[in-house]
Amino acid sequence: DAKTTQPTSMDCAEGRAANLPCNHSTISGNEYVYWYRQIHSQGPQYIIHGLKNNETNEMASLIITEDRKSSTLILPHATLRDTAVYYCIVATYTDKLIFGTGTRLQVFP
Amino acid sequence: SQTIHQWPATLVQPVGSPLSLECTVEGTSNPNLYWYRQAAGRGLQLLFYSVGIGQISSEVPQNLSASRPQDRQFILSSKKLLLSDSGFYLCAWRDTILLPYEQYFGPGTRLTVT
């Protein structure tokens, strides 16, 4: 499975959009992009996934570049409860998700 | 609705002692089940996954084993714990039919080996 590169940490003001980037330049054609987040001392929570097209759900939007080598997770109106570590994962099979160290997002008042 | 239980929540065990962590899922049938470990300050590492009763796939050679004696029960075991087994152990499940792309995680067990 391809590896991903994410910034170690990011800050975002409450109420503003949080844009979390992810590079996955070696992604193959049948690999999906998944996003999970982990609030301190809890299990990870699924956010969204995509293959080629941009996706949106009640939690976030996922923007995937046309060449699929990078993506951005967008939290449209960040709240303090969105403070967490965000993991970008690329994988063919949902059974074999490899979690890296992710991006630590700090939302401040 | 579906729920996942793990116990105990915290555990302190001496080196060389045995380990048994249990995970059960309610509200779903024939889920895929997973065990992960998270060492301090690190990402999650997939240890085992199971697609059915008695079917276990090991992802990382180690001091641990897993078993699935019932459809919705997943057990992580060790005969003799090592210091390096310390970490946060997470169980997860996936509904391969209704929500095939999502894994749902339990609350975790924090294990300290002393």
Side-chain angles (χ1 to χ4, degrees), chain B residues 3 7 24 32 38 40 47 51 54 66 72 81 84 90 92 99 101 105 109:
Chain B
T3 55
W7 63 89
T24 59
N32 281 17
Q38 186 172 35
L47 301 175
V51 300
R72 287 168 285 180
L81 284 169
S84 57
L90 289 153
L99 295 168
Y101 296 100
F105 286 79
T109 294

Side-chain angles (χ1 to χ4, degrees), chain A:
Chain A
D1 289 328
K3 292 184 178 179
T4 63
T5 304
Q6 299 178 252
T8 303
S9 62
M10 295 182 64
D11 291 337
C12 180
E14 189 175 21
R16 304 296 294 269
N19 297 282
L20 291 88
C22 180
N23 286 321
H24 32 80
S25 59
T26 60
I27 191 171
S28 59
N30 58 350
E31 288 183 314
Y32 289 82
V33 179
Y34 299 86
W35 283 85
Y36 281 75
R37 72 180 182 185
Q38 186 175 22
I39 295 171
H40 183 62
S41 295
Q42 297 182 21
Q45 176 189 23
Y46 166 86
I47 301 173
I48 199 167
H49 77 279
L51 183 63
K52 294 181 181 179
N53 300 322
N54 298 337
E55 303 286 345
T56 296
N57 63 20
E58 65 279 3
M59 289 184 67
S61 294
L62 174 60
I63 309 298
I64 303 174
T65 58
E66 192 169 347
D67 63 8
R68 302 210 324 126
K69 293 185 177 182
S70 66
S71 60
T72 301
L73 179 74
I74 301 173
L75 308 179
H77 305 287
T79 71
L80 297 178
R81 288 174 294 182
D82 292 321
T83 293
V85 177
Y86 288 76
Y87 298 99
C88 170
I89 303 163
V90 292
T92 305
Y93 302 109
T94 311
D95 284 331
K96 296 195 176 185
L97 301 180
I98 299 174
F99 288 76
T101 53
T103 295
R104 185 171 299 277
L105 176 68
Q106 180 68 53
V107 180
F108 58 90

Side-chain angles (χ1 to χ4, degrees), chain B residues 67-99:
Chain B
S67 62
R68 184 171 177 174
Q70 300 180 40
D71 181 45
R72 287 168 285 180
Q73 183 184 31
F74 206 21
I75 298 171
L76 183 70
S77 304
S78 174
K79 293 182 179 178
K80 290 186 178 180
L81 284 169
L82 306 172
L83 285 175
S84 57
D85 292 323
S86 293
F88 190 39
Y89 287 82
L90 289 153
C91 180
W93 67 274
R94 179 170 74 94
D95 184 326
T96 60
I97 297 175
L98 295 179
L99 295 168

Side-chain angles (χ1 to χ4, degrees), chain B residues 9-26:
Chain B
T10 60
L11 190 61
V12 179
Q13 293 283 98
V15 168
S17 64
L19 173 73
S20 181
L21 302 180
E22 188 164 344
C23 169
T24 59
V25 182
E26 297 177 357

